[in-house]
Amino acid sequence: MLKISSLKKLVTDSMAIDLGTASTIIAVKGRGIVLDEPSLVAINEMNEEIVAFGQEAADMSGREGRDVAVRAPMIGGVVGDFERTKKMLAYFVKKAKTGGSNIAIQGVMSIVSDVTHVEQRALLNAAEDAGIGKVFMMEEGLAAAFGAGVLATDKRASAVVDIGAGTTNIAVIAKGTIVHSTSDRYGSNAINDALATHIRRHRGLQVGEETTEFLKTNFASTFLPEDLSTSIEIRGRDVQTGSPGAVEITAGEVYPIVEGIVRRIALRVKDTLTELRPEVAADIYDRGVILTGGGALLEGIDKYLREFIKLPVTVPEEPRYAIVNGLVKMFDDQELLERVASNELSILQNAEIPFEV
Ligand SMILES: Nc1ncnc2c1ncn2[C@@H]1O[C@H](COP(=O)(O)OP(=O)(O)OP(=O)(O)O)[C@@H](O)[C@H]1O
Ligand SMILES: [Mg+2]
């Protein structure tokens, strides 16, 4: 008879991890999405120690104590601060895993399509440090497509545009492989930055991330509003006096800022679609484009893109979860996982990690 302890060792968590610029999302096979938290750490600046991770760190953001700074260790979809990413990932993995200490973990993580070996190795090391015994890595575009329902057996091409916080990834896939992709270090957070800059320069008010995020998700639209004078009060710090202050922002003022950023993303999609081979282009002409990532939630963005590229645009349910859903599906087909996962350890081991990646 097997002892309980040896039985326990047979248990494996199959974990899918989408480590994004804004949020980390983890799904475990059989349990669905178990974690969705901001990719943030709070640091005690006196001794550089991390005092909080994820949601708890986000709750401190903007109003942190004197010695505490909230930082995002992922930048533009890749590891920006190696040590902190490592600790943050370890915290998330521990939180997401099924209880018990003897559980082995195999993981699959998404990577941006133009990831360098140095960046990929940093991620791999972080995953190993987080206790993941076996790590597979998969291109984000492929994962997003599978998550949005594209089949690996489909001969015809599909196009997926993932608009994240810090990246926009455009991938065209057929038969479970990427036939064309582009990746930009530019995403939905560019809207927040542009709003903050506008409000500071034209309205004399400094506003925090919470305020621009509120404006973007509740007030902004990619279409010219019917009533340009609809307004909303926002609060912050007066640039002139430094005192707390408030201004009324109108829809007519917000619209061109948002449209400018969305146009840039749409242009990139349009350009990428001109680079396809004729057969692939023909498939995309019929099928259009799938829009995923948190950026797809912006009011009217699907309609805007549809009119811009003159092709059908669809948004799957829960576009923010498309990548992680695609990743976790890989555990149902180990053969496919081995085929699509890039985990060339020999190459990675030759890449040196600089002090700060
Ligand atoms: N309801 C909404 N309306 C508009 N934008 C939204 C909404 N919800 C989320 N977003 C935006 O989506 C972005 C986050 O998307 P997502 O979670 O896909 O990013 P990420 O995967 O962390 O980033 P990346 O893929 O660039 O590394 C943020 O910029 C956020 O402001
Ligand atoms: Mg993402």
Side-chain angles (χ1 to χ4, degrees):
M1 205 180 88
L2 283 168
K3 281 200 217 134
I4 300 280
S5 60
S6 50
L7 259 180
K8 267 191 184 165
K9 286 212 175 74
L10 300 175
V11 183
T12 302
D13 258 350
S14 297
M15 205 177 269
I17 304 169
D18 175 7
L19 187 59
T21 313
S23 29
T24 300
I25 303 166
I26 300 184
V28 174
K29 187 185 168 188
R31 286 169 54 213
I33 287 155
V34 296
L35 185 135
D36 178 358
E37 293 197 34
S39 302
L40 292 175
V41 295
I43 294 146
N44 178 336
E45 287 190 310
M46 304 298 277
N47 56 15
E48 294 281 303
E49 264 174 40
I50 297 179
V51 294
F53 295 95
Q55 190 56 54
E56 209 185 315
D59 292 341
M60 296 177 167
S61 179
R63 296 188 191 88
E64 50 266 57
R66 241 181 320 175
D67 304 331
V68 177
V70 178
R71 297 269 179 271
M74 296 290 291
I75 302 165
V78 296
V79 177
D81 179 324
F82 183 58
E83 282 307 314
R84 287 168 184 163
T85 299
K86 224 163 63 167
K87 289 185 179 140
M88 182 177 75
L89 183 64
Y91 170 86
F92 287 145
V93 166
K94 190 167 170 217
K95 200 168 173 184
K97 81 187 236 199
T98 314
S101 55
N102 286 327
I103 293 174
I105 307 173
Q106 66 163 338
V108 59
M109 300 180 84
S110 51
I111 43 174
V112 289
S113 57
D114 62 349
V115 69
T116 67
H117 281 137
V118 171
E119 290 161 347
Q120 195 171 351
R121 197 187 139 181
L123 210 55
L124 194 67
N125 280 348
E128 280 169 353
D129 266 34
I132 305 178
K134 194 168 184 193
V135 195
F136 297 94
M137 296 206 171
M138 193 175 154
E139 272 193 47
E140 176 174 301
L142 209 51
F146 292 154
V150 174
L151 297 176
T153 47
D154 192 346
K155 280 193 306 199
R156 298 182 59 204
S158 305
V160 186
V161 177
D162 183 275
I163 306 173
T167 60
T168 298
N169 196 78
I170 307 166
V172 178
I173 75 154
K175 273 194 281 183
T177 47
I178 295 193
V179 296
H180 191 74
S181 73
T182 56
S183 179
D184 271 322
R185 300 286 179 270
Y186 190 77
S188 180
N189 274 4
I191 297 174
N192 302 49
D193 297 344
L195 285 170
T197 303
H198 169 88
I199 296 164
R200 177 171 44 78
R201 293 192 52 211
H202 295 272
R203 310 302 301 275
L205 195 74
Q206 271 180 308
V207 291
E209 180 60 25
E210 207 178 289
T211 303
T212 53
E213 189 68 13
F214 177 82
L215 260 185
K216 179 170 82 172
T217 53
N218 293 287
F219 192 67
S221 168
T222 45
F223 284 92
L224 197 63
E226 270 180 26
D227 184 1
L228 293 177
S229 61
T230 312
S231 69
I232 187 168
E233 188 189 70
I234 53 162
R235 301 170 200 105
R237 177 178 184 272
D238 190 291
V239 174
Q240 299 284 331
T241 64
S243 316
V247 293
E248 287 282 330
I249 295 287
T250 65
E253 200 175 342
V254 167
Y255 162 74
I257 299 167
V258 175
E259 198 267 346
I261 309 280
V262 174
R263 172 186 295 266
R264 183 169 160 183
I265 293 173
L267 258 172
R268 188 76 168 123
V269 176
K270 198 173 182 178
D271 282 351
T272 301
L273 296 181
T274 63
E275 295 159 4
L276 306 176
R277 277 177 288 137
E279 260 67 37
V280 175
D283 292 342
I284 305 304
Y285 181 83
D286 287 341
R287 295 181 162 187
V289 163
I290 302 165
L291 195 56
T292 65
L297 294 167
L298 180 71
E299 169 77 24
I301 194 169
D302 50 338
K303 184 165 166 245
Y304 185 95
L305 190 60
R306 196 174 298 135
E307 286 175 10
F308 200 90
I309 61 175
K310 301 194 173 60
L311 292 174
V313 174
T314 51
V315 180
E317 236 177 85
E318 309 230 53
R320 279 186 66 240
Y321 292 158
I323 290 178
V324 85
N325 285 338
L327 291 174
V328 81
K329 269 187 196 169
M330 292 297 103
F331 293 120
D332 297 332
D333 188 345
Q334 198 75 22
E335 209 174 294
L336 179 65
L337 177 60
E338 308 260 347
R339 176 164 76 81
V340 299
S342 60
N343 199 352
E344 300 141 75
L345 267 173
S346 53
I347 303 172
L348 295 176
Q349 259 143 19
N350 292 332
E352 284 198 10
I353 287 199
F355 292 111
E356 267 179 294
V357 182

